[in-house]
């Protein structure tokens, strides 16, 4: 599935430039992807579309609260607690990377939740860090945003080729 997502990311510059699922499926078949990979990727992309087009999920926006609500905005020092299922499916390396991006100000809490949702919908147990990076790129892509050049380099870089100093 992730090879299909990378192809979509590289060939459609924004989520809204991507064709409808049926047409995209035909194009992916013509390129040579397997039918089961295409179907899995299309289901995943449909979930991404649904999650990224909820008004409360738009970066920089917050859901409207009733006038009598006692809920407050999240504090800057608030903590996201991961469920056991999330911990098992994502693993320490992926959760650490999400935390790194969030504390660096690169991944807004609303986008983090979409990343976690889509990571939980992905196959693999645990999800690999490389697959998580593709998920993060796809979340940015769905909002029509491109991460900062240094972030993009980190998300696209193969860390196995790095030499420790």
């Amino acid at each position: 599935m992730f090879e299909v997502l990378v192809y979509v990311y590289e060939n459609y510059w924004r989520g809204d430039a991507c064709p409808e699922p049926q047409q995209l499926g035909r194009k992916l078949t013509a390129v040579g992807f397997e039918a089961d990979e295409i179907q899995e990727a299309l289901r995943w992309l449909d979930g991404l579309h649904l999650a990224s087009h909820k008004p409360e999920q738009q970066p920089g926006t917050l859901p409207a609260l009733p006038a009598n609500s006692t809920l407050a905005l999240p504090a800057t020092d608030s903590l996201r607690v991961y469920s056991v299922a999330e911990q098992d499916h994502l693993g320490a390396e992926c959760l650490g990377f999400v935390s790194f991006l969030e504390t660096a100000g690169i991944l807004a809490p609303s986008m983090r939740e979409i990343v976690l949702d889509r990571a939980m919908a992905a196959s693999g147990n645990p999800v690999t860090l490389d697959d998580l990076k593709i998920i993060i790129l796809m979340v940015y892509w769905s909002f029509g945003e491109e991460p900062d050049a240094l972030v993009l380099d980190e998300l696209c870089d193969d860390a196995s080729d790095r030499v420790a100093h």
Side-chain angles (χ1 to χ4, degrees), residues 40-54 114 117-118 121 139 142:
E40 185 180 4
L42 290 177
R43 278 191 303 274
W44 192 92
L45 285 167
D46 185 49
L48 176 62
H49 177 78
L50 291 173
S52 64
H53 287 83
K54 291 179 183 175
I114 295 173
D117 173 69
R118 296 292 75 215
V139 170
S142 71

Side-chain angles (χ1 to χ4, degrees), residues 62-76 78:
L62 295 167
L65 298 174
N68 61 350
S69 175
T70 58
L71 294 175
L73 298 177
T76 56
S78 63

Side-chain angles (χ1 to χ4, degrees), residues 58-143:
Q58 298 302 315
T61 64
L62 295 167
L65 298 174
N68 61 350
S69 175
T70 58
L71 294 175
L73 298 177
T76 56
D77 60 347
S78 63
L79 177 68
R80 168 61 156 89
V81 177
Y82 296 97
S83 71
V84 172
E86 289 172 329
Q87 292 175 37
D88 290 343
H89 191 70
L90 297 172
E93 187 176 32
C94 288
L95 291 175
F97 189 72
V98 168
S99 178
F100 160 71
L101 292 177
E102 190 174 11
T103 56
I106 296 165
L107 194 61
S110 60
M111 290 179 83
R112 176 202 61 217
E113 292 305 313
I114 295 173
V115 166
L116 294 174
D117 173 69
R118 296 292 75 215
M120 292 299 290
S123 58
N125 204 12
V127 172
T128 67
L129 182 58
D130 288 339
D131 291 346
L132 179 72
K133 289 178 179 183
I134 293 168
I135 291 168
I136 293 167
L137 282 172
M138 292 305 293
V139 170
Y140 271 99
W141 173 85
S142 71
F143 285 110

